[in-house]
């Protein structure tokens, strides 16, 4: 070209927006370039891309030329610029803490950043602890829609089942997944169900003649999941002696296992002796329970 000339370069929004995603070119000032007219000559225009923390996906805008100052130069080409989104959001899962049987547990989902267009989280309960869906709690598999606002919260309620079984505290998991690859759902959350039930083992008092076996019945009043064991001991704490001197009964300790059924009974027998002492009157000894084992349930063995 025999003389220098100018070309106006301008930008136009696509999915990207000038002023928020990139700095738009003004065709009459910042976007005007001057060519000397040399063959294969290059001129450059710089378009600043604006950094943000919004999860919005890749966006684009176009660059076009116009208004050549030389009627010898035609400018009709356009270019598309794609802005690669480098932002990610995280959804955290939390609850209102351990929950008692019969109460509701509230699961709260919180997204830390804005997500343009919103997204959906699928939240599910998972049996991977000691709690069982349909028995200990009501299972969920819910699709939760987020508008995409920063710090947005959504909540889901899970019903915990009430029962009358004395058992260990139980757990299950709540986990989620997102339909947006740029949105990560945090680690699965463990929900703990606090057992509010208890059971007791009682022993009936008995009267027995000297020289007979004292047969005692131990009774479990309420169901205990998984059962348990206790040590039962006949020992002296009254007028009868079971250890030395003039023995009135044979002291013993026996380990007894309950399967855990409500109303379950077990037997414990103690041998008494007829020592020929006619002047001793009625005497007493006790049978006590100790060393509850193989359960974390609330079982009273103080009778």
């Amino acid at each position: 070209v025999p003389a220098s000339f100018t070309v106006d370069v301008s930008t136009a929004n696509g999915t990207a927006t000038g002023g928020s995603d990139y700095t738009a070119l003004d065709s009459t000032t910042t976007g005007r370039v001057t060519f000397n007219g040399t063959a294969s000559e290059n001129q450059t225009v710089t378009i600043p891309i604006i950094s943000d923390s919004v999860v919005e996906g890749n966006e684009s805008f176009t660059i076009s030329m116009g208004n050549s100052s030389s009627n010898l130069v035609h400018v009709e080409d356009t270019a598309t610029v794609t802005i690669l989104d480098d932002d990610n959001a995280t959804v955290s899962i939390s609850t209102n803490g351990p929950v008692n049987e019969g109460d509701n547990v509230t699961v709260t989902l919180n997204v830390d950043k804005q997500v343009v267009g919103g997204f959906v989280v699928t939240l599910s309960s998972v049996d991977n602890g000691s709690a069982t869906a349909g028995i200990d709690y009501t299972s969920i598999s819910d699709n939760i829609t987020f508008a995409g606002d920063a710090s947005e919260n959504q909540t889901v309620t899970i019903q915990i089942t009430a029962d009358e079984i004395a058992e260990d505290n139980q757990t299950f998991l709540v986990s989620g997944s997102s339909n947006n690859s740029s949105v990560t759902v945090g680690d699965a959350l463990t929900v703990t169900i606090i057992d509010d039930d208890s059971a007791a083992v009682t022993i009936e008092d008995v009267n027995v003649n000297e020289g007979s076996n004292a047969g005692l019945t131990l009774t479990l009043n309420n169901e205990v999941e998984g059962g348990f064991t206790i040590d039962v001991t006949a020992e002296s704490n009254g007028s009868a002696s079971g250890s030395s001197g003039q023995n009135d009964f044979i002291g013993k300790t026996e380990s007894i296992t309950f399967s855990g059924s409500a109303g379950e009974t077990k037997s414990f027998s103690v041998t008494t002796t007829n020592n020929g002492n006619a002047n001793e009157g009625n005497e007493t000894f006790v049978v006590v329970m100790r060393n509850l084992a193989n359960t974390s349930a609330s079982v009273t063995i103080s009778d």
Side-chain angles (χ1 to χ4, degrees):
V1 179
S4 63
F5 63 95
T6 61
V7 172
D8 291 341
V9 181
S10 61
T11 55
N13 292 339
T15 52
T17 302
S20 59
D21 298 308
Y22 68 96
T23 301
L25 292 179
D26 183 339
S27 61
T28 61
T29 53
T30 57
R32 178 167 292 172
V33 295
T34 300
F35 286 86
N36 296 321
T38 307
S40 301
E41 180 182 354
N42 291 323
Q43 295 293 336
T44 60
V45 174
T46 300
I47 304 174
I49 304 301
I50 299 172
S51 177
D52 59 35
S53 59
V54 179
V55 179
E56 53 199 344
N58 296 339
E59 299 176 297
S60 63
F61 63 94
T62 58
I63 303 173
S64 59
M65 298 178 293
N67 301 326
S68 171
S69 64
S70 172
N71 58 9
L72 299 177
V73 179
H74 298 283
V75 287
E76 298 178 349
D77 198 19
T78 62
T80 298
V81 176
T82 299
I83 303 173
L84 302 179
D85 185 37
D86 59 357
D87 298 296
N88 294 280
T90 299
V91 176
S92 60
I93 307 176
S94 61
T95 71
N96 55 343
V99 61
N100 292 327
E101 291 180 343
D103 290 342
N104 293 332
V105 58
T106 299
V107 180
T108 301
L109 307 177
N110 174 268
V111 61
D112 62 344
K113 295 179 182 178
Q114 181 183 351
V115 180
V116 173
F119 60 97
V120 175
V121 169
T122 300
L123 189 72
S124 301
S125 56
V126 182
D127 280 1
N128 82 327
S130 50
T132 302
I135 297 175
D136 300 303
Y137 68 97
T138 301
S139 66
I140 61 164
S141 182
D142 295 348
N143 291 324
I144 304 161
T145 300
F146 283 78
D149 300 328
S151 300
E152 180 180 356
N153 289 328
Q154 298 288 345
T155 59
V156 175
T157 299
I158 301 175
Q159 176 65 49
I160 306 301
T161 305
D163 60 34
E164 297 181 356
I165 302 172
E167 53 199 343
D168 297 343
N169 293 342
Q170 298 173 302
T171 61
F172 64 94
L173 283 185
V174 176
S175 64
S177 61
S178 169
N179 68 340
N180 186 326
S181 61
S182 295
V183 178
T184 301
V185 180
D187 293 339
L189 182 75
T190 299
V191 177
T192 299
I193 303 172
I194 303 298
D195 182 53
D196 59 358
D197 300 295
S198 62
V201 180
T202 56
I203 307 175
E204 291 186 8
D205 296 339
V206 295
N207 297 321
V208 62
N209 293 325
E210 288 180 334
S212 302
N213 288 335
L216 295 102
T217 300
L218 288 72
T219 303
L220 176 64
N221 70 333
N222 196 15
E223 182 177 350
V224 178
E225 186 176 56
F228 58 94
T229 61
I230 53 175
D231 289 339
V232 182
T233 301
E235 60 186 35
S236 179
N237 82 328
S239 52
S241 173
S243 57
S244 62
Q246 191 70 48
N247 287 346
D248 299 297
F249 69 98
I250 299 174
K252 61 181 290 191
T253 296
E254 182 179 334
S255 179
I256 294 180
T257 299
F258 282 83
S259 65
S261 301
E264 181 179 0
T265 60
K266 294 292 181 179
S267 297
F268 180 75
S269 180
V270 182
T271 300
T272 68
T273 60
N274 188 346
N275 55 39
N277 187 348
N279 298 317
E280 58 188 355
N282 295 336
E283 298 176 300
T284 62
F285 65 92
V286 295
V287 174
V288 297
M289 296 175 286
R290 299 187 179 96
N291 302 328
L292 175 68
N294 300 325
T295 186
S296 297
S298 176
V299 181
T300 301
I301 58 170
S302 60
D303 192 27

